[in-house]
Amino acid sequence: MDTAGQTGASVRERVGETEWQVRKDLAALYRLVALFGWDDLIFTHITAKVPGTEHFLINPYGMMFDEITASSLVKIDLHGRKVMESEYDINPAGFTIHSCIHAARKDAMCVLHTHSINGVAVSAQKEGLLPLSQFAFIVLRSLGYHDYEGLALNPEEQPRLVRDLGSNNYLILRNHGLLTVGQSMAEAFQAMHRLEAACMVQVRAQAGGELTFIPPEVLARAAVESPADRAHKAALAWPGLLRRLDRRNPGYAD
């Protein structure tokens, strides 16, 4: 493990340009999750792979999402060991969930997990996500479900997490929350925005009267977004999201 002192400047000087960009984007993603109200104090997690390595970055356990910076992120390996010194520990559940997905899905550059109220509400419903909105129409073709097994601290759960996510980009963890993966922080955010919106619409629609479902023949025409389409749409939205963040909560790139 690198035992050099960890100040903001030293982290910037000790990592390459590629890792520093990943750090800035991941710190921005943490703050965007807080800005959109999807955070759960310090108790969920977002991770990003360091390209060309088996290392990934995770939040310092104890920092609120809206105060995370590029230099404060903790770098660990697939066994949960720090590979750069940090005064912070990591959330063990974050390691359990995220490490197995990063190991199994080489396209999962970023793994985003939330405990949002709307997401947990839908995760507790027997039928799961219903075909009630255009958001759901897009999500349903790439959605998996994982049954609740208690707090995510048992390594024996990892193969089932990987199996239930499969090749999908969205996962509902029953009685627990939501998870999305992406080839970038922008993709993971866009996927979560869509899944969260689908859940919010569902909870509100269920409180408002008789429901109208998207017809099965229309659902059958839904196609899984191609990697190129996902990347293009996410790249269009991401700069604007960063501008919003710069106006409302700057400092993530420190």
Side-chain angles (χ1 to χ4, degrees):
M1 180 172 68
D2 187 340
T3 56
Q6 184 167 358
T7 65
S10 69
V11 172
R12 176 66 187 90
E13 294 165 358
R14 288 154 55 202
V15 303
E17 289 296 329
T18 299
E19 179 177 333
W20 187 247
Q21 186 61 53
V22 171
R23 283 175 171 270
K24 290 194 298 182
D25 284 341
L26 183 57
L29 181 52
Y30 271 104
R31 293 196 184 201
L32 285 167
V33 166
L35 185 63
F36 278 75
W38 306 336
D39 52 339
D40 176 16
L41 300 178
I42 62 171
F43 297 109
T44 56
H45 12 82
I46 317 168
T47 53
K49 285 287 295 290
V50 178
T53 75
E54 291 303 311
H55 302 152
F56 60 95
L57 302 165
I58 193 168
N59 51 313
Y61 199 23
M63 290 185 72
M64 303 294 284
F65 281 20
D66 63 358
E67 59 187 4
I68 288 174
T69 62
S71 57
S72 68
L73 292 161
V74 182
K75 183 160 61 171
I76 61 175
D77 63 19
L78 291 174
H79 303 287
R81 299 177 299 221
K82 295 180 196 177
V83 294
M84 182 179 286
E85 186 177 83
S86 172
E87 64 182 295
Y88 288 93
D89 292 324
I90 65 166
N91 185 337
F95 168 73
T96 300
I97 294 171
H98 291 240
S99 60
C100 64
I101 295 173
H102 281 301
R105 288 278 300 270
K106 300 306 180 185
D107 63 324
M109 167 69 176
C110 181
V111 180
L112 169 53
H113 171 47
T114 65
H115 296 162
S116 67
I117 301 302
N118 296 302
V120 175
V122 171
S123 81
Q125 295 182 6
K126 186 174 183 179
E127 302 265 334
L129 187 66
L130 302 173
L132 292 172
S133 66
Q134 183 164 275
F135 300 117
F137 176 78
I138 298 171
V139 168
L140 285 167
R141 287 303 299 268
S142 189
L143 175 64
Y145 291 88
H146 177 68
D147 288 338
Y148 189 63
E149 300 187 25
L151 296 176
L153 300 172
N154 184 0
E156 293 181 1
E157 184 178 358
Q158 291 180 314
R160 293 183 288 277
L161 274 164
V162 169
R163 176 200 67 201
D164 294 338
L165 176 63
S167 61
N168 296 310
N169 298 308
Y170 307 88
L171 184 68
I172 291 180
L173 296 94
R174 293 190 184 277
N175 311 101
H176 183 174
L178 308 177
L179 184 145
T180 61
V181 300
Q183 296 186 85
S184 66
M185 270 56 75
E187 284 188 31
F189 177 87
Q190 180 168 281
M192 184 59 73
H193 186 273
R194 186 177 289 150
L195 180 54
E196 172 66 23
C199 291
M200 183 185 296
V201 168
Q202 180 164 321
V203 171
R204 293 185 180 187
Q206 287 170 325
E210 187 175 357
L211 301 175
T212 299
F213 294 89
I214 296 172
E217 62 273 18
V218 176
L219 286 175
R221 297 200 297 267
V224 177
E225 285 183 297
S226 71
D229 283 343
R230 288 198 305 273
H232 176 66
K233 292 174 184 175
L236 285 174
W238 188 247
L241 288 164
L242 294 183
R243 292 192 298 271
R244 178 183 292 186
L245 195 57
D246 287 336
R247 291 191 297 271
R248 301 189 185 182
N249 187 12
Y252 59 88
D254 295 340

